[in-house]
Each structure stands twice: as C-alpha cells, then as structure tokens.
Amino acid sequence: MSEGQVVRKTETPATIESLQADFTTLGIEKGMVLLVHSSLSAMGWVCGGAVAVIMALQEVLGETGTLVMPTHSTDLSDPSQWENPPVPESWWQTIRETMPAYDPNLTPTRSMGKIAETFRKQSCVLRSAHPQSSFCASGPQALDIINEHSLAYGMGENSPLTRIYDLQGYVLLLGVDHSSNTSIHLAEYRADFPGKHFVQEGAPISQAGSRIWTTFEDIHVDASDFDRLGKDFLRSDTGKVVRCGKVGIADCQLMPQRAVVDFAIEWLEKNRQG
C-alpha cells in the first residue's frame, strides 16, 4: 500500500503518545516478554513511522520488559526451493557458491515489514544466529531468548520461540492475522499429524572466519491453515484470553503465547490432514 493510500484512509495521525495509550488499553504491561508481528500500513499514517511504533512499545514495556520480533531472511536458502520468484536451474550452483554468508548485523529481513526491519538496526537489539529464521530482541531477557538458536529445526525446541514459551511471554498481532503468527510453527514441531515430514535446508554461513554453504535438517512448515486455526482459537474457550482492540486503525490481538501454542498442537493433530 502506498503512503498516499495510507494517508487517505487515516482520519487522525497516530503519534508516539497515542500509540502508547492504545498499547496500554490493549493490555501491554511493563515487564512483559512480547513477540510482535506487525504491519505498519495497517495502523494508518503514523507520525515517525516504524521508529515511533518501536519507541512506543519500548516505553510501555519499560526497562523490565523485553521486545522481540521475527527477523527472518528466507532468501538465504537453497535456490532449488525458490518459488516467489523461481530462478533458472542453471543459476543454482552459482547462488550456492557466491551468496554472502548470514551476518546478523548486515543481512536484511525478507517480508517481515518495516517495523521489524527498523527494529533489527537499533543499537540495543540482539539478533539470533539462524541464517533463515532469526529473531531480534531488546531488554533484560534478550540474550536468553536469542542465544543458542540451533541451525537444525530453526523454530523448534532450541529456538527463541521456545524461550518465549518458557518465559510465559505474549504475542501481539499488530495489524496482521494468525497467518503471520510464527509461534504456531512451534506447535507444528510439537504436534503429530499426517504428512509431517523432514526436509533438508541449505544456507550460507560464516564458520571459523570463512564463508561456507551448509545443510541442515528441518521439518516442512506450512502456514496455509494458520488463519483458520486462529479463527477457531478466538471462538474457543481458550481464546477468551485474547485481548482484541485497535492500535491506530489496525485490528490487533494480544495473547499469552502458551495459550495459542497449546491450542494449536491439539488443533493441528485434529484438523491437519497432510
């Protein structure tokens, strides 16, 4: 969506102060561990853009709160699997041999939105070491969340998602729906459903000061039914823990991460047919 379109759909600009009030009304509190998935354009026109949103979130969370965002770079992957867009097979080996290694300070996000891409550049932010499924965090729990992010099974038991689960953190869907909710991927690792299978992934990384192409095992993850899962979650008794409201003009949901992950495990085992 162009900035002109965003302006036309906005009656009153959002500011750092109005965003703080919206976040507080939604239920965000000081000291929370908060994983945020976001769409800046969904919020309407924001004075200060992504920077204002980050400043407002950090102010509401306070010095004892920890802010987390996904900073995935899925383009650092095997070109044989690329679909959006695909590239000629004759390019594949060149890409594997020459693609720059993942660098947490330099590698940009892909399809994560302006807020996450801006957040990862902040000097106080730490980023995990996974070349495809990294997360960024700032606050007192940041190192515990991003540290020792395993290469294999990148959104499973040795990932920031599990650390957030262990810390009883929260998920904020800021102008996006559950199709963007990465915590449901953790449920995919934990659930047993037909068609669940393993895949080999590849990515360029730095090892002992040199760039190498490495391969690692993962499960095939699939977010195509996450929106339907999320709607069922909201209608369930468990979904009563979700706080719904507006930030700017964006529809938002705030929920305990454990609640949606635990619900999703049962839902996937019952509904996913492979």
Side-chain angles (χ1 to χ4, degrees):
M1 185 180 296
S2 70
E3 187 172 11
Q5 290 174 309
V6 174
V7 168
R8 287 190 289 274
K9 73 176 185 178
T10 306
E11 292 185 8
T12 303
T15 65
I16 294 175
E17 291 75 17
S18 71
L19 293 173
Q20 288 178 23
D22 290 346
F23 287 137
T24 300
T25 299
L26 189 62
I28 298 172
E29 300 176 352
K30 292 188 183 302
M32 275 185 174
V33 173
L34 183 67
L35 171 59
V36 177
H37 301 279
S38 58
S39 166
L40 181 61
S41 62
M43 301 170 67
W45 196 82
V46 178
C47 183
V51 173
V53 177
I54 294 163
M55 292 177 68
L57 281 165
Q58 290 177 324
E59 180 64 28
V60 174
L61 289 170
E63 293 182 358
T64 58
T66 300
L67 180 60
V68 190
M69 296 189 195
T71 46
H72 301 175
S73 44
T74 51
D75 49 329
L76 271 64
S77 57
D78 196 295
S80 65
Q81 300 177 18
W82 292 358
E83 296 179 353
N84 189 26
V87 295
E89 185 173 353
S90 61
W91 296 11
W92 293 357
Q93 193 57 32
T94 300
I95 291 169
R96 293 183 188 120
E97 291 175 354
T98 64
M99 179 182 287
Y102 172 71
D103 181 335
N105 295 314
L106 181 61
T107 302
T109 61
R110 181 177 175 86
S111 302
M112 295 288 102
K114 290 183 179 179
I115 296 172
E117 174 62 12
T118 302
F119 178 63
R120 77 162 183 91
K121 298 176 183 178
Q122 196 174 9
S123 60
C124 64
V125 170
L126 304 177
R127 189 178 185 183
S128 68
H130 200 283
Q132 296 172 0
S133 304
S134 68
F135 289 77
C136 269
S138 69
Q141 304 290 346
L143 185 59
D144 289 339
I145 289 170
I146 67 96
N147 202 24
E148 298 182 5
H149 189 174
S150 70
L151 192 57
Y153 312 109
M155 287 187 282
E157 297 305 327
N158 293 308
S159 75
L161 293 173
T162 296
R163 304 290 85 77
I164 295 167
Y165 185 95
D166 293 342
L167 291 165
Q168 300 188 55
Y170 284 73
V171 172
L172 172 63
L173 301 180
L174 179 53
V176 298
D177 60 28
H178 283 274
S179 62
S180 299
N181 189 348
T182 57
S183 291
I184 302 176
H185 287 304
L186 178 58
E188 287 188 287
Y189 285 83
R190 294 180 173 182
D192 183 14
F193 51 85
K196 183 175 181 177
H197 63 279
F198 299 97
V199 294
Q200 284 291 122
E201 298 284 356
I205 63 170
S206 293
Q207 188 174 85
S210 298
R211 177 223 179 265
I212 66 166
W213 181 268
T214 189
T215 58
F216 49 94
E217 192 170 69
D218 212 327
I219 67 165
H220 173 71
V221 295
D222 178 10
S224 62
D225 53 5
F226 283 11
D227 186 40
R228 182 163 62 96
L229 185 159
K231 290 176 180 176
D232 286 349
F233 174 59
L234 280 174
R235 287 191 289 262
S236 71
D237 289 340
T238 308
K240 292 176 182 177
V241 298
V242 180
R243 296 283 300 271
C244 297
K246 295 279 191 180
V247 173
I249 62 173
D251 292 320
C252 300
Q253 300 177 45
L254 176 69
M255 69 208 73
Q257 191 220 36
R258 282 192 178 195
V260 67
V261 170
D262 292 348
F263 176 88
I265 293 170
E266 294 187 12
W267 191 97
L268 290 168
E269 291 181 341
K270 180 180 178 181
N271 294 281
R272 186 172 281 187
Q273 301 302 315

